[in-house]
Amino acid sequence: VPLPEKRLIEQIARQALQVQASRSKGVLARKGGCTFRVAALLAGIGDDCTVLRLPSARDILITTDFSLEGVHFRREWHPPESVGHRCLARGLSDIAAMGGEPVAAFLSLALPASSSQRWVGRFVRGLLALSKRFSVPLAGGDIAESNSGVLADIVVLGLVPPGRAVLRSGARPGDRIYVTGKLGASALAFSGLLNGAKLLPRDYLSHFYPTPRITVGRVLREKGIPSAMIDISDGLSTDLHHICEQSGVGARIYADRIPVTGGAKNLKFALHGGEDYELIFTAPARKHVPRTITGAPVTQLGEITGTRRVSLVKDGHESVLKSAGWEHFRKP
Amino acid sequence: VPLPEKRLIEQIARQALQVQASRSKGVLARKGGCTFRVAALLAGIGDDCTVLRLPSARDILITTDFSLEGVHFRREWHPPESVGHRCLARGLSDIAAMGGEPVAAFLSLALPASSSQRWVGRFVRGLLALSKRFSVPLAGGDIAESNSGVLADIVVLGLVPPGRAVLRSGARPGDRIYVTGKLGASALAFSGLLNGAKLLPRDYLSHFYPTPRITVGRVLREKGIPSAMIDISDGLSTDLHHICEQSGVGARIYADRIPVTGGAKNLKFALHGGEDYELIFTAPARKHVPRTITGAPVTQLGEITGTRRVSLVKDGHESVLKSAGWEHFRKP
């Protein structure tokens, strides 16, 4: 590895990150109508640790998510801005799924010595554009050299009032199951890419630039609606299983109620396609659930049962719905 | 990739981690003689995020560090327990360098489909042994598949009283420069490995099982001694430069004062060898600095100057000390 080049990469990445860190000292965020001090960034990139001062009387949420070249993205398919955007979106979506407010992000980034300055700059730009949209400063991280493609790990820290985080484990028999938005769009694009299609990112925003459901998650939590919640990262079938496992319950959903992108012929994408970053939540039958929340459609898919089985009702037949998101779509 | 195998790996890793998570619910830690509730772990591995309740009126420290196969370790050189130990030690050492108290760790781990159950189990065991020693529960993370070796990213969260984190930026001209322990042992072992030597880990503990200086860092901060502090991860020469850059000062150190493992012939290992995980700190001349702190020797190496130059005095000659840790030793 020619060292000047290696140094250069570190420098590019550090510079891009440093700008952001210095901008976010004592950040004031405006969110959902009220302005409050989410976090004072006391030391950012350039010290051993980031130092944050957070408002007291909040529970802290933390999530970490890998974005690995060849596993979660391909450089020949995904523009660098999309890779950066998706990297942060994964973390933000986990905060949304707890009903939390994201306050800071941290990025570990390993780059091959052959990385171009241009690629890294565009990656960081994509990540920072999303970070700005949600007022989540990039507050620290690590830079390393990679022997094998671009490797990123995003950490997002969020806040939630004490005891109010919406867990996966709260679903009870009789609860209704809901989903936000439409499903399958990301997998549909992905399937096109796999088949060699050239896709324009602007035509497939759900895949290239998904929007984490931060506001919807927070509003649902504030209204006290969900008994359990999860984001769809692995696919509806798999993520619904996660709720059932953690809650010790079963579920029954109806194929004709699933909001499928492009209609019924795409049902398998909606059932098993991952990375939709919509929210699945459950709520007691007595709770009023609006049809839209901050502009996002909310659809009732079925109900939680007392069995340990997850099933799909289609054309009048009920059959076991396997957790199959992983097999079909996890590996690009 | 045969799926059952892929699943198996996820399962191994999740199980190993889950045990730890369930053990650490509402963890009570005993540290430095006083028992206090560091963090209640409200939801751990198995939900979208980890939920932590931390004591109020503390600043939060966060650090992330990659451990990448072929970059930070080699499977043919490092036993899996050592890889796990070093992975967490890197993060803990950053918390030590701020004078902080570590409270929770998070691990993103990507494994090749070919990983053996045995290797992963031993890796996790090594990591958890260190986590137990410092009462830092492994509280969450991510598991992914890797196309290219074992990839780990450790996140450590720590606490420090408000405004008391010891930054790199506080060194002032006239301050004395100190270092804990002895230097060069890790690089000495590493140099042996590079030259094909078979080393027994128990004979080279500083390299295979380094101890982060958590207690020393905390005691120094409590006594109000350091004006600036950093841990030696990249090498004395490089990390001293980091303090100087962040503080806008220079430094002069004396070769004959450096506590070199194995004596003067190993000076280059002590100067430029990374991963010693000792602490460099500066303190005003008027401060009394004990010769040992909680058993660790403390040596005065030189002083901070008003120039922007870092220099080494050796055999009566003063010359520029380049930041050369990276070139010689960063890449195993």
Side-chain angles (χ1 to χ4, degrees):
Chain A
V1 179
L3 267 168
E5 206 176 314
K6 205 160 127 186
R7 276 261 164 90
L8 188 66
I9 290 163
E10 247 203 45
Q11 218 177 327
I12 299 163
R14 280 197 200 283
Q15 269 173 4
L17 299 176
Q18 214 132 21
V19 169
Q20 174 68 11
S22 64
R23 271 195 203 135
S24 53
K25 283 202 179 174
V27 61
L28 279 169
R30 175 179 289 277
K31 285 178 187 182
C34 67
T35 304
F36 61 100
R37 194 176 186 79
V38 277
L41 189 72
L42 305 173
I45 292 154
D47 218 303
D48 299 282
C49 294
T50 299
V51 188
L52 291 171
R53 191 164 300 164
L54 299 175
S56 58
R58 300 281 166 81
D59 284 350
I60 291 176
L61 307 173
I62 297 182
T63 174
T64 78
D65 282 283
F66 266 135
S67 293
L68 308 175
E69 185 172 347
V71 178
H72 301 95
F73 67 91
R74 289 196 192 167
R75 268 192 275 183
E76 62 271 31
W77 288 351
H78 297 98
E81 292 87 352
S82 161
V83 178
H85 178 108
R86 286 161 41 110
C87 173
L88 179 57
R90 291 164 66 82
L92 291 178
S93 184
D94 282 326
I95 300 288
M98 311 295 282
E101 193 79 51
V103 295
F106 306 84
L107 173 69
S108 286
L109 181 64
L111 299 167
S114 62
S115 303
S116 77
Q117 190 166 352
R118 194 174 144 72
W119 195 94
V120 180
R122 290 177 60 190
F123 166 87
V124 172
R125 215 169 305 139
L127 194 148
L128 293 187
L130 187 62
S131 123
K132 200 175 165 191
R133 214 165 110 199
F134 287 99
S135 308
V136 182
L138 188 60
D142 185 29
I143 309 280
E145 201 205 337
S146 160
N147 286 340
S148 48
V150 174
L151 314 170
D153 189 39
I154 195 84
V155 180
V156 183
L157 191 143
L159 294 175
V160 73
R164 303 302 297 275
V166 185
L167 308 182
R168 295 179 179 178
S169 52
R172 296 293 169 260
D175 284 2
R176 308 290 189 242
I177 302 165
Y178 299 86
V179 72
T180 63
K182 288 195 153 197
L183 302 183
S186 181
L188 193 64
F190 174 59
S191 145
L193 292 167
L194 264 183
N195 292 323
K198 294 266 172 256
L199 304 183
L200 286 178
R202 66 163 181 269
D203 297 335
Y204 296 87
L205 290 178
S206 314
H207 180 80
F208 291 97
Y209 298 96
T211 299
R213 291 291 194 185
I214 291 291
T215 315
V216 179
R218 200 199 61 222
V219 169
L220 280 167
R221 188 257 302 154
E222 283 170 355
K223 289 180 183 286
I225 291 174
S227 50
M229 190 153 64
I230 192 171
D231 69 317
I232 304 188
S233 49
D234 293 340
L236 172 60
S237 64
T238 298
D239 291 315
L240 184 55
H241 269 91
H242 287 148
I243 283 189
C244 291
E245 280 156 24
Q246 296 291 323
S247 299
V249 297
R252 182 187 301 113
I253 61 173
Y254 300 85
D256 58 4
R257 297 193 196 165
I258 299 173
V260 182
T261 304
K265 67 178 188 304
N266 293 328
L267 182 65
K268 72 162 184 170
F269 296 119
L271 278 175
H272 308 302
E275 305 193 331
D276 277 319
Y277 300 118
E278 296 293 347
L279 299 174
I280 310 175
F281 64 95
T282 60
R286 62 181 159 76
K287 289 266 180 194
H288 170 69
V289 179
R291 298 233 174 142
T292 65
I293 292 177
T294 66
V298 174
T299 311
Q300 195 205 306
L301 298 183
E303 59 270 340
I304 295 294
T305 65
T307 68
R308 286 293 190 116
R309 226 169 70 127
V310 178
S311 64
L312 176 73
V313 180
K314 196 183 165 190
D315 305 328
H317 292 283
E318 182 166 350
S319 58
V320 170
L321 177 64
K322 280 176 58 181
S323 163
W326 225 58
E327 281 86 345
H328 292 303
F329 297 104
R330 176 111 171 218
K331 200 173 154 71
Chain B
V1 180
L3 267 168
E5 206 175 315
K6 204 161 125 184
R7 276 260 164 91
L8 188 66
I9 289 163
E10 250 204 40
Q11 219 177 326
I12 299 164
R14 280 195 199 282
Q15 269 172 3
L17 300 175
Q18 215 131 23
V19 169
Q20 174 69 11
S22 64
R23 272 194 202 136
S24 52
K25 283 202 178 173
V27 60
L28 279 169
R30 176 178 289 277
K31 286 179 187 182
C34 68
T35 305
F36 61 100
R37 192 175 188 80
V38 276
L41 189 72
L42 305 173
I45 293 154
D47 218 303
D48 299 282
C49 295
T50 299
V51 188
L52 291 171
R53 190 164 302 165
L54 299 175
S56 58
R58 299 280 167 81
D59 283 349
I60 292 176
L61 308 172
I62 296 181
T63 175
T64 78
D65 281 283
F66 265 135
S67 292
L68 308 176
E69 184 173 347
V71 178
H72 301 96
F73 68 91
R74 289 194 191 171
R75 269 193 275 182
E76 61 271 31
W77 288 352
H78 298 98
E81 292 87 351
S82 161
V83 178
H85 177 108
R86 286 162 40 110
C87 172
L88 180 57
R90 291 165 65 83
L92 291 177
S93 184
D94 282 326
I95 299 289
M98 311 295 282
E101 194 78 51
V103 294
F106 306 83
L107 174 69
S108 285
L109 181 64
L111 299 166
S114 61
S115 304
S116 77
Q117 191 165 352
R118 194 174 143 72
W119 195 94
V120 180
R122 290 177 59 190
F123 166 88
V124 171
R125 215 170 304 139
L127 193 149
L128 293 186
L130 186 63
S131 123
K132 201 175 163 190
R133 213 165 111 200
F134 287 98
S135 307
V136 183
L138 188 59
D142 186 27
I143 310 279
E145 200 205 336
S146 160
N147 285 341
S148 48
V150 174
L151 314 171
D153 189 38
I154 195 83
V155 179
V156 183
L157 192 143
L159 294 175
V160 73
R164 303 302 297 274
V166 185
L167 307 183
R168 295 179 179 178
S169 52
R172 296 292 169 259
D175 284 2
R176 308 289 191 242
I177 302 165
Y178 299 86
V179 72
T180 63
K182 287 193 153 198
L183 303 184
S186 181
L188 193 63
F190 174 58
S191 145
L193 292 167
L194 263 183
N195 292 323
K198 292 267 172 254
L199 305 182
L200 286 179
R202 66 164 181 267
D203 297 334
Y204 296 87
L205 290 179
S206 314
H207 180 80
F208 291 97
Y209 297 96
T211 300
R213 292 291 195 185
I214 291 291
T215 315
V216 179
R218 201 198 61 222
V219 170
L220 280 167
R221 188 256 303 154
E222 283 170 357
K223 289 180 183 284
I225 291 174
S227 50
M229 190 151 64
I230 193 172
D231 69 316
I232 304 188
S233 50
D234 293 340
L236 171 60
S237 64
T238 297
D239 290 315
L240 184 55
H241 268 90
H242 287 147
I243 282 189
C244 291
E245 280 157 24
Q246 295 291 323
S247 299
V249 297
R252 182 187 300 112
I253 62 173
Y254 300 86
D256 58 4
R257 297 192 195 165
I258 298 171
V260 182
T261 304
K265 68 177 187 304
N266 293 329
L267 181 64
K268 73 162 183 171
F269 295 119
L271 279 174
H272 308 302
E275 303 192 333
D276 277 320
Y277 299 118
E278 296 293 348
L279 298 174
I280 310 175
F281 63 94
T282 60
R286 62 182 159 74
K287 290 266 180 194
H288 170 69
V289 178
R291 297 234 175 140
T292 65
I293 291 176
T294 66
V298 174
T299 311
Q300 196 205 305
L301 298 184
E303 59 270 340
I304 294 295
T305 65
T307 68
R308 287 293 191 115
R309 226 169 71 128
V310 178
S311 64
L312 176 73
V313 179
K314 196 182 166 191
D315 306 328
H317 293 282
E318 182 167 351
S319 58
V320 170
L321 178 64
K322 280 175 59 181
S323 163
W326 224 58
E327 282 86 344
H328 292 302
F329 296 103
R330 175 111 172 218
K331 201 173 154 70

